[in-house]
Amino acid sequence: MPHLPDQPAPHPIVSFVRALVGPAIVITGWQLMATSCAWGAAIVYFGFLLSLAEWIWEPALLQRPYQIQIALIGIVFSLAAAFTIGVASAPAPVKFKSFETNIDYTGANAPAGITWNPFFTELDFIVTNPTDENYDNVDLLVRPDFPIAKIAQMSNLQGVSFEDRYGVNMRAKIEEIGKQSPVPVEFLATDAGYKVHCGSIPPNSSLSLVMAIVDFKKALPPDPSKPVVIPSGEDLSHFTIPVTIKNNDGTFTYWFGRVNERRYLPKPTPTKVYVEISYTANHCRKHKTLEQPVDRWNLP
């Protein structure tokens, strides 16, 4: 049998660069987990496999005492096990609680400084982090089965902001020329839901929200192809303009006008809250969607 010549040993720089490929892929996957947990974890495990292959078949290591290989292989398995236990399979549950309260705050101190009206229903919504780790970059969508007129934070977490889901604004005035003074149009409510951003929910803490829920008397929606017609002599403070948005998620309405009790039905009774939440926990981006039932606190 002919003798095959020995392969020349790779340059030390080549061996060094090759040894860094696996750890570099591990770090890349770790960073990606903040965007996609599944893909990031898959890339991390692929990096561990490359590192393991490098420690097993690297020619430079085969020429050294086998104890070095065993130690390096043990390090790879230890790091992979620590990643699996502490990151990939670490639980990051989130708990929700929603309840309606029948207190009338008119003329009293309403929750979170909301200016209360007698036709408002208080709907509280609580998001709890029950773990010993931070939940960061929390993005939440809450949409009860009745329009939200006001929303605020009752907890004391930093970096909390609110925005109606589609960011609809209207800056206009209603005027019966020569007869009544102009009346500015104000945002009244929307059933599209609110986006809530919270920088961080600390361990064993909660983000507590309060919403003022309303219901409007039914009226025919205006024809968007025609100008809005106001009956002569109509009290402009009673006028309401609904703006409708249709998309793949459904049909949603924004109400604009002036706050006037004649336009509202009595206190509504919400039964559920549609919830979408995304948050980062254990370096992994989590997503959850559900419908949370509403409990009732019948206080005197």
Side-chain angles (χ1 to χ4, degrees):
M1 179 180 293
H3 175 72
L4 296 176
D6 294 335
Q7 295 294 325
H11 193 280
I13 294 179
V14 174
S15 298
F16 178 75
V17 172
R18 191 164 53 196
L20 292 179
V21 172
I25 292 177
V26 170
I27 294 173
T28 300
W30 183 285
Q31 298 298 320
L32 183 61
M33 288 182 69
T35 303
S36 173
C37 188
W39 280 106
I43 292 174
V44 168
Y45 284 119
F46 180 66
F48 282 135
L49 287 175
L50 287 181
S51 298
L52 185 63
E54 178 66 20
W55 302 147
I56 293 174
W57 289 295
E58 170 56 45
L61 283 176
L62 294 176
Q63 300 173 8
R64 296 180 178 275
Y66 71 91
Q67 291 88 346
I68 296 178
Q69 275 187 297
I70 293 175
L72 291 173
I73 292 171
I75 291 174
V76 172
F77 275 110
S78 297
L79 292 176
F83 172 78
T84 301
I85 296 171
V87 179
S89 63
V94 62
K95 295 183 178 180
F96 301 98
K97 182 70 174 179
S98 183
F99 54 89
E100 170 205 340
T101 306
N102 66 356
I103 298 177
D104 186 358
Y105 296 102
T106 306
N109 293 325
I114 294 177
T115 302
W116 209 257
N117 287 302
F119 42 82
F120 285 173
T121 291
E122 178 186 350
L123 178 60
D124 299 303
F125 190 82
I126 301 173
V127 183
T128 300
N129 168 11
T131 71
D132 295 327
E133 303 290 336
N134 277 339
Y135 286 179
D136 297 318
N137 196 22
V138 180
D139 291 306
L140 181 71
L141 171 69
V142 289
R143 189 177 71 227
D145 49 358
F146 284 94
I148 301 173
K150 304 284 184 181
I151 185 170
Q153 178 192 186
M154 287 198 297
S155 49
N156 195 29
L157 301 183
Q158 300 296 316
V160 176
S161 60
F162 303 92
E163 181 186 7
D164 65 83
R165 186 177 189 184
Y166 298 108
V168 175
N169 291 301
M170 177 181 288
R171 291 180 176 87
K173 292 182 179 180
I174 305 174
E175 180 180 5
E176 189 175 4
I177 300 176
K179 295 186 179 182
Q180 300 185 50
S181 300
V183 176
V185 170
E186 300 174 358
F187 170 77
L188 299 179
T190 180
D191 60 6
Y194 266 83
K195 295 183 292 184
V196 184
H197 177 78
C198 178
S200 180
I201 302 179
N204 300 298
S205 299
S206 299
L207 170 64
S208 181
L209 308 175
V210 58
M211 292 170 274
I213 307 301
V214 298
D215 195 11
F216 291 92
K217 293 180 179 177
K218 306 304 178 186
L220 293 177
D223 187 340
S225 64
K226 298 180 180 179
V228 176
V229 178
I230 303 174
S232 179
E234 173 77 7
D235 185 348
L236 300 184
S237 66
H238 298 167
F239 196 74
T240 303
I241 302 175
V243 177
T244 300
I245 294 177
K246 294 183 179 180
N247 55 33
N248 292 335
D249 294 329
T251 301
F252 307 103
T253 304
Y254 286 74
W255 287 268
F256 297 89
R258 300 288 290 177
V259 176
N260 189 292
E261 193 168 351
R262 289 176 51 185
R263 292 298 182 190
Y264 295 86
L265 291 171
K267 289 173 172 287
T269 303
T271 60
K272 60 185 177 181
V273 181
Y274 175 79
V275 183
E276 293 179 12
I277 188 170
S278 299
Y279 57 101
T280 301
N282 298 317
H283 305 280
C284 197
R285 194 68 177 163
K286 308 286 187 178
H287 305 276
K288 191 171 186 179
T289 301
L290 72 154
E291 284 190 350
Q292 176 68 29
V294 176
D295 297 327
R296 284 176 180 79
W297 283 8
N298 295 315
L299 303 178

